[in-house]
Structure formats: structure tokens, C-alpha cells
Amino acid sequence: MDLLFPEALSTGVGLFLLAASAVTSMLTAVLGAGGGVLLLVLMATWIPPAAIIPVHGMIQLGSNTGRAVLTFRHIDWRVILAFAPGVVAGAALGAWLLVNLPAHLWQLTIAGFVLYLCWGPKLPKASFGPAGIFLASAITSFISLFVGATGPLVAAFIKQIHTDRFKTVSTFAAAMTLQHAPKALVFGFAGFVFSEWLLFIVAMIACGFAGTWLGLRLLNTMTNRWFSLAFNVVLTLLALRLLWQATQSAGWFG
């Protein structure tokens, strides 16, 4: 068991995080989003700051890959083909700049866009064409290298395209698989040693796959209407959390 967890984690904490990986993956499969951010919050409690985004990114890569594989036939490949080039552009720009941007700026921006996409008027149809999807992909892929919390924004954008719950979940999973993939290269070149965390990452991915499988079984019992409502509520709660974090980061209220 000691070989499974890096020195930074005790056995008890490691086992808790494995269980959390299963539960949060199930949450994302059922509600469409939310699990990745919740897991990020839990990991940030115990994992060293320098390891949080790269380790979480690799776990989310595996989790989203598993969900995309299990829902493969529902993926909207038109969206994914437009999304992929944006991932490359955004990740390349982020790797080139490697800047330390103010956290509250991105938190406010992401929260504002999520709330608008959930409750505001629908975006113009042109926003969902190849150019619009490319731009959304490039921006969120760039931001994800620094804040690791763009999932709600990508989810809200894709939800504007589809009303079918399975298309939403599957296309979001495929998009996030693409977005997390460059992190291994970017953080590897930046000097992060993934080998120290490899067994833990693999175990977290395996637990996440089990949670995803169970979550998709539960998704079958929901209607598109209830899924849409639950999806918007979850994203709204995540956006409100980001707004609260922004006030803390900026020190506006002490």
C-alpha cells in the first residue's frame, strides 16, 4: 500500500481520495459536470500546491477518457473536430507564456460566463460554428494550464449546443479529454516529476472509471428535462463558489 501513495500522502488520505475519485466521477456522469472541481477542492487540501494541477489534470484525463469511451456513440464529432485545434493553440500559447496571472481575474471571468450560459439568452448560432467552438476551446485550454477549473465553462458552452443528456455528457467528456491531454507535456517540460505520482494517478483513474460506469447507469433513469435543470443548478453552484474564491483571492472583504 505504501508503494501506491507518494510520500506527501498518508495511507488514510490516499484511500479517501480514491473513494472520492469514484464518487466525483459518478457525479459528473449523472449531472454532467461538477465532479472534477469537487475532486480538485479535496485534493488541494492534502496535495502539495505544485502538484495539484498536473496530478489533477492527469486524473481528469483518465476519467474523461473513460467516460468518452463508455458513451462513444453519443459524441458530437462535429464539435470535437472544431474543438481539437483550439486545444493545441491554447495549450501552445500557455506553454510559451507560463505566466502567473491574477487568480481572481480568471475566477470572475469563468463564473460570469458560466452564469450567463446557464441562465442568460442563448448565444447566437454563429457562436456554435467551427470558428466559435475553436475560440472557446483555445481560451479555456489556455486558462486550464493555470487555474485547472475551466470544466464548468466548457460544460456550459456545450450545454448550449445540445439538449440531449447523453450527447452533453459524452461530448463534454471528449472535449475535456482533449483539453487535459497537453498538460502531461507542458508540465513535464516544466520539470514536474510525474513518476512519483504515477501509481496513485493510475489508481485514481481506475476508481473514477468504476464511478463513471455506475453514474451512467443512473443517467438512464433521468429525463432530459430533469438533467438540464440539475446541470444548470450544479454549474450555478460552481460559479458562485468561484465568485466567493475571487473575493478571497483579491482580498476585497478582508
Side-chain angles (χ1 to χ4, degrees), residues 54-147:
V55 172
H56 178 263
M58 291 305 94
I59 293 169
Q60 289 302 106
L61 172 61
S63 180
N64 281 286
T65 299
R67 191 158 57 256
V69 169
L70 290 174
T71 59
F72 183 82
R73 62 192 178 93
H74 297 284
I75 295 173
D76 184 341
W77 292 106
R78 178 190 65 83
V79 171
I80 297 304
L81 287 174
F83 195 88
V87 169
V88 176
L93 180 61
W96 178 52
L97 293 176
L98 284 177
V99 292
N100 185 19
L101 298 166
H104 68 274
L105 175 64
W106 296 118
Q107 289 160 345
L108 287 172
T109 302
I110 293 172
F113 272 111
V114 168
L115 290 174
Y116 176 84
L117 291 171
C118 285
W119 306 109
K122 288 187 71 67
L123 293 172
K125 286 187 177 181
S127 302
F128 307 118
I133 295 171
F134 171 85
L135 183 61
S137 172
I139 293 172
T140 56
S141 297
F142 173 80
I143 297 173
S144 72
L145 293 175
F146 307 104
V147 300

Side-chain angles (χ1 to χ4, degrees), residues 178-229:
L178 292 175
Q179 195 165 88
H180 286 297
K183 290 184 179 181
L185 289 175
V186 173
F187 286 106
F189 281 123
F192 184 77
V193 183
F194 279 103
S195 59
E196 296 178 7
W197 294 85
L198 184 58
L199 291 179
F200 174 69
I201 290 172
V202 171
M204 290 285 282
I205 291 172
C207 290
F209 187 84
T212 294
W213 183 87
L214 179 59
L216 291 175
R217 304 284 80 73
L218 295 175
L219 185 62
N220 272 315
T221 67
M222 299 180 70
T223 64
N224 287 332
R225 178 172 174 271
W226 282 107
F227 172 81
S228 180
L229 177 61

